[in-house]
């Protein structure tokens, strides 16, 4: 069994877990608090970032998109119709674009700020960046969330899946990012009906069940988080 160093409220880690789940493969999970900068973890990834996969032979593979390419080359290529990258190169390019959108742009503008201020800072020692939440950072992130949700709603309303006709890495990246925000109760789904219907489809998949069971000590999820028909 492969091992993933992760944090349950890190969108990139959730993305990797979903990808392996879609291919029916279990992972051994080790929860890592990257702000601690454990020397054993830094030996695997000097950057100190998540996720890190210990693959065959305990080779460390670092970063969500790098791990996704590894999964596609070692698992996806033999899955044919279940492959998370389409055979068509333009469809693959669109999936990669949206993965970058959600794990890059949405993360930088919204997710990491709300997760840090609301979930991580209360757990972090002051010398490691902990302390009271930054109300201004929360306000800015919440304002930034609206155009991201409008875009997701447009994608979900005009396509079968976010990147095209079949589920792909794009859907997993978006669902990973939005599931963190949903855990925190930051999304009013009634404003985005197409995105809501798409999200219900994704979170109803077997690969999503472990994520719906995630809990952070001292920070329970919003009441509808694990409801498949909220």
């Amino acid at each position: 069994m492969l091992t993933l160093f992760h944090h349950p409220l890190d969108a990139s880690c959730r993305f990797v877990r979903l990808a392996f789940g879609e291919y029916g493969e279990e992972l051994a999970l080790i929860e890592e608090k990257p702000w601690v900068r454990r020397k054993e973890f830094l030996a695997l990834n000097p950057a100190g970032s998540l996720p890190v996969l210990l693959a065959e032979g305990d080779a460390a593979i670092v970063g969500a998109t790098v791990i996704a390419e590894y999964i596609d080359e070692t698992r996806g290529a033999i899955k044919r119709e279940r492959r998370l990258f389409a055979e068509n190169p333009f469809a693959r390019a669109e999936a990669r674009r949206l993965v970058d959108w959600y794990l890059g742009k949405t993360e930088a503008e919204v997710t990491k700020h709300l997760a840090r201020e609301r979930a991580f800072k209360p757990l972090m020692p002051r010398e490691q960046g902990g302390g009271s939440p930054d109300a201004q950072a929360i306000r800015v992130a919440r304002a930034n969330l609206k155009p991201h949700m409008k875009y997701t709603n447009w994608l979900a309303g005009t396509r079968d899946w976010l990147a095209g006709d079949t589920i792909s890495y794009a859907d997993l990246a978006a669902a990973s990012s939005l599931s963190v925000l949903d855990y925190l109760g930051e999304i009013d789904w009634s404003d985005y009906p197409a995105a809501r219907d798409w999200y219900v489809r994704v979170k109803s998949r077997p690969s999503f069940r472990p994520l719906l069971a995630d809990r952070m000590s001292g920070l329970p999820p919003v009441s509808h988080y694990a409801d498949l028909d909220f």
Side-chain angles (χ1 to χ4, degrees):
M1 185 180 295
L2 308 187
T3 299
L4 183 71
F5 291 82
H6 82 119
H7 191 281
L9 277 193
D10 182 286
S12 292
C13 298
R14 289 181 157 223
F15 170 70
V16 172
R17 291 168 63 191
L18 285 176
F20 275 106
E22 283 293 316
Y23 290 146
E25 187 163 344
E26 294 184 2
L27 290 170
L29 299 176
I30 296 178
E31 184 173 330
E32 188 71 33
K33 297 178 175 63
W35 57 85
V36 174
R37 297 186 65 80
R38 288 191 310 118
K39 63 179 182 180
E40 295 84 358
F41 181 64
L42 293 176
L44 296 173
N45 177 19
S49 58
L50 293 170
V52 174
L53 178 73
L54 281 187
E56 291 83 358
D58 286 341
I61 303 176
V62 177
T65 56
V66 178
I67 296 171
E69 296 287 346
Y70 162 80
I71 297 171
D72 183 66
E73 292 171 359
T74 59
R75 276 85 174 161
I78 62 174
K79 293 297 183 179
R80 298 185 181 274
E81 71 279 357
R82 291 179 55 207
R83 190 176 187 181
L84 293 170
F85 269 145
E87 296 293 332
N88 182 283
F90 295 104
R92 288 200 301 274
E94 177 65 356
R96 287 187 174 102
R97 182 185 74 84
L98 289 175
V99 168
D100 183 67
W101 181 283
Y102 287 102
L103 298 187
K105 185 176 176 64
T106 307
E107 176 74 10
E109 296 178 357
V110 183
T111 316
K112 77 174 183 180
H113 302 290
L114 291 173
R116 176 182 174 85
E117 299 302 327
R118 294 195 53 202
F120 299 156
K121 283 180 78 171
L123 303 176
M124 300 164 63
R126 189 167 295 276
E127 63 271 16
Q128 293 174 340
S132 300
D134 183 335
Q136 176 63 14
I138 292 175
R139 282 195 296 271
V140 171
R142 285 173 173 166
N144 289 341
L145 173 59
K146 293 180 181 179
H148 284 276
M149 289 304 304
K150 288 180 180 178
Y151 185 49
T152 304
N153 197 62
W154 179 83
L155 288 171
T158 57
R159 302 173 174 182
D160 291 337
W161 295 92
L162 296 192
D165 296 333
T166 61
I167 190 169
S168 73
Y169 276 133
D171 299 280
L172 305 191
S176 298
S177 182
L178 298 185
S179 68
V180 172
L181 300 171
D182 190 47
Y183 185 102
L184 297 172
E186 292 288 347
I187 301 175
D188 184 351
W189 292 102
S190 64
D191 291 337
Y192 313 101
R196 176 192 180 278
D197 291 345
W198 160 82
Y199 185 60
V200 167
R201 290 164 64 201
V202 178
K203 73 187 280 191
S204 298
R205 297 176 72 85
S207 64
F208 216 95
R209 290 171 189 161
L211 274 63
L212 296 178
D214 283 345
R215 297 293 184 273
M216 279 193 65
S217 178
L219 185 65
V222 69
S223 60
H224 69 251
Y225 173 71
D227 187 350
L228 298 182
D229 189 24
F230 64 96

